[in-house]
Amino acid sequence: MSIKSILAIPFAKIVRKQVYKWANDPHKTQEKVFQYLVTEGCKTAFGKDHDFISINNYEDFKKRVPVNDYEGLRHYVDRVVEGEEDVLWKGKPLYFAKTSGTTSGAKYIPISKESMPTHISAARNALLFYIAETNDASFVDGKMIFLQGSPVLEDKNGVKLGRLSGIAAHYVPNYLLKNRLPSWETNCIEDWDVKVDKVVEETLPENMTVISGIPSWVQMYFEKLIEKTGKTVSEIFPNFNFFVYGGVNFEPYKNKFEALIGKKIDYVELYPASEGFIAYQDSQTEKGMLLQLNSGIFYEFIPANEFFDENPTRISLKDVQLGGNYVIILNTSAGLWGYNIGDTVEFTSLKPYRIKVTGRIKHFISAFGEHVIGKEVEKALNDAIKGTDINISEFTVAPQVNPESGLPYHEWFIEFENEPENLEELASKIDASMQEQNVYYFDLITGKVLRPLIIRKVQKGGFHEYMKSIGKFGGQNKIPQLSDNRKIADVLQNFLIKE
């Protein structure tokens, strides 16, 4: 072991102790963040427009600050993008994180000099917590890869603009620079196919110990490694023992990953967003991710089943309940106020506060009043393949409202790595789990409004081809795992296995 890895263990334990200090005093921590944000917000155009000077408590805040999405704040963001200062937060942002929006086109999410360090420290702390828990820091002596977007930044009226992962690439600490792959030149390649081929070339001769990225794109990297060598990932990289991921539920990918890797490994889940680093996995034995309460974000929550009501319940952390499914609302030190990022979360622990992401509030199916959410389809699929050799590469679900014959149904598009022997039996198991979880779906099936779901087999590589066809191949792009319309499903028809 190197001196670096030896010193990492006591340092990790010090950091863990510091983090749990605020995590174990959550309401005081959030109150401090709330007061800080409101005080600073008073100096901004948004704060003046919303009478921040009169806000004394959370109830006052709710009366003055509506829940917004990007469109709701857009007229303020546009002023920031044009170069105006003190609009949503003091001064100008340090960066704009560019993301793709479904209705807004490109979105420009401000990152301030106050919020940027919280992104970096949370990502670092996730690794330190793993070290502190396992007493193993040997991975710091090997090479680490973070499959991410290009670090090349543009200039937007004096503010740097790029993808969040590309911005974060500029903050790799000096002590990890020698360990970091791919090279800067490879990271700047925009074409994802070319980039992954180059990453394979650069990493094959190295001692890779940490691999990180969105599962679907890391899976592509693993497959190319295996195709080139004929070996499993663990045979190629024997010291690779844990995978860091974020952005999607990993469970549907787990069987496939372990088959590609060739052994069981540990996993560290992150919940980063352009709007703020929200949570990270702090334990290999506890469910959920530790909510970041001292990172300049004041959290609010709206019960997901009320979100589209005229006057939904809007609560702070102290009123959430274990197991409740909530839309998460952010107020940040980058000037996002009452901001709905579109995610739904469930609390897995209240001491300390841990969450898991359950889906997207806009990603649901209710074509017939069934109110199916992402958490339910993921669990149904996991229930059905548990204990089998079936491996799933990717999937998505959509309603078929107007079939050529028979009753309507939910249509599941699945790309299999290892196919089931009996597709109808798998569909039956998934459908049984859906009925057990969702009483509305159960009633529609038993009431003969819907027939049981149907699985369509997508050809291998079909989802990648779909993403290419819509110009969202690689990087941080993700496929919604369910939608209330046929937009994705209709295009996927071009990539089905012909029976």
Side-chain angles (χ1 to χ4, degrees):
M1 291 176 68
S2 68
I3 293 175
K4 183 164 63 175
S5 61
I6 292 170
L7 293 178
I9 295 174
F11 177 65
K13 293 188 176 183
I14 291 169
V15 170
R16 182 173 63 172
K17 185 176 181 181
Q18 291 171 342
V19 168
Y20 279 145
K21 187 173 181 180
W22 59 252
N24 289 322
D25 196 1
H27 305 309
K28 184 177 180 182
T29 301
Q30 276 285 274
E31 181 61 26
K32 284 182 179 178
V33 172
F34 175 77
Q35 294 297 339
Y36 164 70
L37 293 177
V38 170
T39 299
E40 296 299 324
C42 285
K43 307 167 189 175
T44 67
F46 183 93
K48 290 169 184 173
D49 290 348
H50 293 81
D51 194 24
F52 271 33
I53 196 70
S54 299
I55 295 175
N56 295 308
N57 52 48
Y58 178 51
E59 292 303 315
D60 291 342
F61 181 84
K62 286 193 290 184
K63 292 172 184 174
R64 289 163 174 77
V65 179
V67 172
N68 292 294
D69 57 12
Y70 187 81
E71 284 300 305
L73 284 180
R74 185 164 192 158
H75 61 293
Y76 288 102
V77 176
D78 286 347
R79 289 164 61 182
V80 180
V81 172
E82 289 301 314
E84 188 176 339
E85 296 187 12
D86 302 325
V87 178
L88 286 165
W89 191 251
K90 55 190 176 184
K92 284 187 176 183
L94 200 58
Y95 300 99
F96 291 118
K98 187 177 182 180
T99 69
S100 56
T102 52
T103 58
S104 311
K107 298 193 293 186
Y108 298 93
I109 306 298
I111 300 176
S112 68
K113 65 179 181 180
E114 289 81 13
S115 67
M116 188 66 222
T118 66
H119 287 269
I120 306 308
S121 62
R124 178 206 69 170
N125 288 354
L127 297 182
L128 291 176
F129 267 71
Y130 181 82
I131 292 173
E133 184 177 28
T134 62
N135 285 309
D136 182 4
S138 59
F139 69 83
V140 304
D141 295 328
K143 297 288 187 178
M144 308 177 192
I145 185 171
F146 300 90
L147 284 175
Q148 56 193 190
S150 170
V152 176
L153 304 180
E154 305 170 36
D155 185 273
K156 192 78 173 176
N157 294 321
V159 177
K160 296 293 184 184
L161 165 71
R163 300 286 182 183
L164 176 63
S165 61
I167 293 169
H170 292 262
Y171 286 84
V172 177
N174 288 332
Y175 62 86
L176 287 182
L177 278 176
K178 290 182 179 179
N179 304 68
R180 180 181 177 276
L181 285 172
S183 65
W184 186 267
E185 293 74 20
T186 295
N187 225 2
C188 292
I189 296 171
E190 291 287 352
D191 185 295
W192 194 251
D193 269 324
V194 175
K195 183 173 187 171
V196 174
D197 285 337
K198 190 67 177 174
V199 170
V200 168
E201 181 184 319
E202 287 186 359
T203 55
L204 262 178
E206 301 291 350
N207 173 31
M208 301 303 301
T209 55
V210 178
I211 297 173
S212 174
I214 289 178
S216 54
W217 304 120
V218 174
Q219 179 179 308
M220 180 180 175
Y221 163 61
F222 284 171
E223 289 169 343
K224 287 184 178 258
L225 283 170
I226 293 168
E227 182 183 344
K228 193 172 183 69
T229 65
K231 299 177 180 179
T232 64
V233 175
S234 63
E235 288 172 325
I236 301 167
F237 306 133
N239 295 317
F240 167 49
N241 290 315
F242 76 98
F243 171 58
V244 183
Y245 70 94
V248 297
N249 182 356
F250 183 62
E251 284 302 317
Y253 300 93
K254 194 170 183 179
N255 284 353
K256 174 70 181 292
F257 258 66
E258 291 186 348
L260 294 171
I261 295 167
K263 67 177 183 182
K264 291 188 180 296
I265 61 169
D266 290 333
Y267 303 95
V268 176
E269 184 177 7
L270 312 178
Y271 185 8
S274 299
E275 295 83 358
F277 204 119
I278 296 168
Y280 60 77
Q281 185 177 341
D282 63 314
S283 170
Q284 290 293 307
T285 58
E286 299 290 340
K287 291 182 179 179
M289 296 173 282
L290 186 71
L291 190 62
Q292 296 301 285
L293 304 179
N294 73 331
S295 292
I297 303 173
F298 177 73
Y299 298 93
E300 301 178 83
F301 303 91
I302 296 174
N305 60 359
E306 295 183 30
F307 185 75
F308 295 104
D309 294 352
E310 188 174 342
N311 293 299
T313 304
R314 183 177 172 186
I315 57 177
S316 63
L317 189 69
K318 65 182 179 64
D319 291 320
V320 299
Q321 296 181 357
L322 200 64
N325 195 39
Y326 298 98
V327 178
I328 187 169
I329 307 297
L330 308 181
N331 302 277
T332 78
S333 57
L336 298 175
W337 302 101
Y339 194 84
N340 167 30
I341 63 172
D343 289 342
T344 57
V345 301
E346 177 184 318
F347 282 86
T348 61
S349 166
L350 302 183
K351 292 181 180 180
Y353 283 95
R354 293 191 182 96
I355 59 171
K356 66 177 181 180
V357 180
T358 55
R360 300 278 294 168
I361 192 62
K362 291 183 179 179
H363 293 168
F364 61 91
I365 299 176
S366 200
F368 311 94
E370 61 271 48
H371 308 296
V372 167
I373 61 174
K375 172 187 171 185
E376 292 166 349
V377 298
E378 288 166 354
K379 184 178 187 305
L381 187 58
N382 292 334
D383 287 347
I385 67 174
K386 191 174 182 179
T388 74
D389 294 328
I390 300 168
N391 285 336
I392 307 294
S393 294
E394 193 60 86
F395 78 98
T396 192
V397 188
Q400 177 50 273
V401 181
N402 297 305
E404 291 182 6
S405 62
L407 293 172
Y409 54 91
H410 285 186
E411 195 167 19
W412 288 57
F413 296 83
I414 303 179
E415 182 180 331
F416 293 99
E417 181 65 21
N418 290 345
E419 292 189 17
E421 292 181 7
N422 188 322
L423 196 65
E424 290 184 2
E425 182 181 334
L426 177 65
S428 179
K429 287 181 179 178
I430 296 172
D431 204 77
S433 179
M434 286 300 305
Q435 291 185 48
E436 184 178 346
Q437 292 182 79
N438 187 308
V439 66
Y440 304 108
Y441 184 75
F442 172 82
D443 288 344
L444 290 166
I445 294 290
T446 56
K448 306 298 183 186
V449 176
L450 291 179
R451 60 172 145 156
L453 65 88
I454 291 176
I455 295 175
R456 307 293 185 200
K457 291 194 292 186
V458 177
Q459 64 195 37
K460 289 191 177 180
F463 277 95
H464 284 172
E465 292 303 316
Y466 162 75
M467 293 297 274
K468 283 181 181 178
S469 74
I470 62 169
K472 290 189 175 183
F473 185 65
Q476 304 302 298
N477 295 306
K478 295 165 284 190
I479 296 168
Q481 293 186 331
L482 74 169
S483 49
D484 204 36
N485 57 57
R486 301 283 303 173
K487 186 176 179 181
I488 297 172
D490 288 344
V491 180
L492 278 174
Q493 300 289 339
N494 299 319
F495 305 106
L496 296 182
I497 294 174
K498 305 303 180 185
E499 299 293 344

